Amino acid sequence: MIDLSELEHDTISELINIGVGRAAASLSEMVDQPVELTVPTITFVERFSDSNLTSSPEEVVSAVSQTFDGPFKGEAMLVFPEKRSLELVRRLLKVDVPLDTLTDLEQEALMEVGNIILNACLGSIANVLGEPINCSMPTFRKRESRALLNDEAVFDATSGKMPVLMILHVQFMLRQNDIDGYVLFVMDLDSIQTLKELVRRFLQNTLG
């Protein structure tokens, strides 16, 4: 398991916090209400479903996902419970129509939100660490929470084991409409080690 020092842990959390904070400001303008954030948390798991990020693994969620690569690689996701995502779409479109009529517009609207938030987070990491990060085009998926990440996609065929994954989790809330979602960053062991080394180098340069 990866051993992060308290300073490394706090630095990684702050990198995500900066990006999400900037994105939340943009989202706040889009929905005309304040967006509240929680402090990012870092969790290490051996299977994505073990992260227990929602109260029910069977809960259906809407997610916008982007893969990224550079010195380290992984997947970034913006996740909403299904009903909350439709309410957010209604806020974005600024129209008061029944939620069941918004499903056709859900993917397009959430992809726009996801693109803003995920790129802000990844851009923050790239800028502070001084390393370029390339992002794929966002994709949309709707499935049970426990199946957000396909286990086969991260299975290590060489060792025959699931790699350790690092989950960076930050929650944000639109309290006026009772909407909440979260951002996840999932990376394998090699990428976690690389990120740790880059953070260590950044701290050395910053602190002297």
Side-chain angles (χ1 to χ4, degrees):
M1 189 67 72
I2 297 295
D3 181 24
L4 292 177
S5 69
E6 183 178 354
L7 186 55
E8 290 168 343
H9 182 285
D10 291 346
T11 299
I12 294 173
S13 294
E14 184 58 24
L15 292 179
I16 299 299
N17 205 30
I18 291 171
V20 174
R22 292 172 179 168
S26 298
L27 182 58
S28 180
E29 292 182 4
M30 294 169 68
V31 297
D32 294 327
Q33 62 176 278
V35 177
E36 300 179 22
L37 300 173
T38 62
V39 176
T41 60
I42 299 175
T43 306
F44 293 100
V45 299
E46 292 186 353
R47 294 175 66 89
F48 184 73
S49 55
D50 291 343
S51 55
N52 193 27
L53 293 167
T54 66
S55 57
S56 171
E58 293 81 19
E59 181 178 23
V60 176
V61 295
S62 300
V64 178
S65 171
Q66 282 184 298
T67 58
F68 58 89
D69 62 58
F72 49 87
K73 63 182 180 179
E75 185 173 10
M77 284 180 279
L78 172 67
V79 185
F80 289 98
E82 183 178 22
K83 292 182 180 178
R84 298 290 185 257
S85 68
L86 291 173
E87 180 62 40
L88 177 59
V89 170
R90 184 158 66 178
R91 286 295 306 175
L92 289 169
L93 298 176
K94 296 180 173 61
V95 291
D96 188 17
V97 296
L99 291 179
D100 58 4
T101 67
L102 287 173
T103 52
D104 290 342
L105 301 171
E106 178 187 13
Q107 179 171 337
E108 182 178 349
L110 290 181
M111 292 260 286
E112 179 181 358
V113 174
N115 196 49
I116 291 171
I117 292 178
L118 299 179
N119 277 313
C121 294
L122 292 168
S124 173
I125 296 172
N127 290 337
V128 173
L129 296 182
E131 295 285 348
I133 297 177
N134 304 310
C135 301
S136 69
M137 294 295 292
T139 59
F140 180 82
R141 65 186 71 162
K142 182 179 290 188
R143 60 185 62 170
E144 290 183 353
S145 175
R146 61 185 174 185
L148 267 178
L149 188 69
N150 186 354
D151 281 347
E152 284 73 18
V154 295
F155 181 77
D156 188 339
T158 302
S159 66
K161 297 186 297 184
M162 294 294 295
V164 174
L165 303 176
M166 181 170 72
I167 311 295
L168 288 165
H169 176 205
V170 57
Q171 187 176 30
F172 55 92
M173 295 151 283
L174 287 68
R175 290 201 180 277
Q176 293 180 23
N177 291 84
D178 191 28
I179 300 171
D180 65 322
Y182 49 88
V183 177
L184 307 176
F185 289 82
V186 183
M187 292 182 286
D188 65 16
L189 189 58
D190 288 343
S191 290
I192 297 169
Q193 292 279 22
T194 301
L195 176 60
K196 176 182 168 71
E197 177 60 27
L198 289 173
V199 168
R200 186 192 62 79
R201 187 184 68 186
F202 165 74
L203 289 171
Q204 281 184 335
N205 294 336
T206 302
L207 301 177

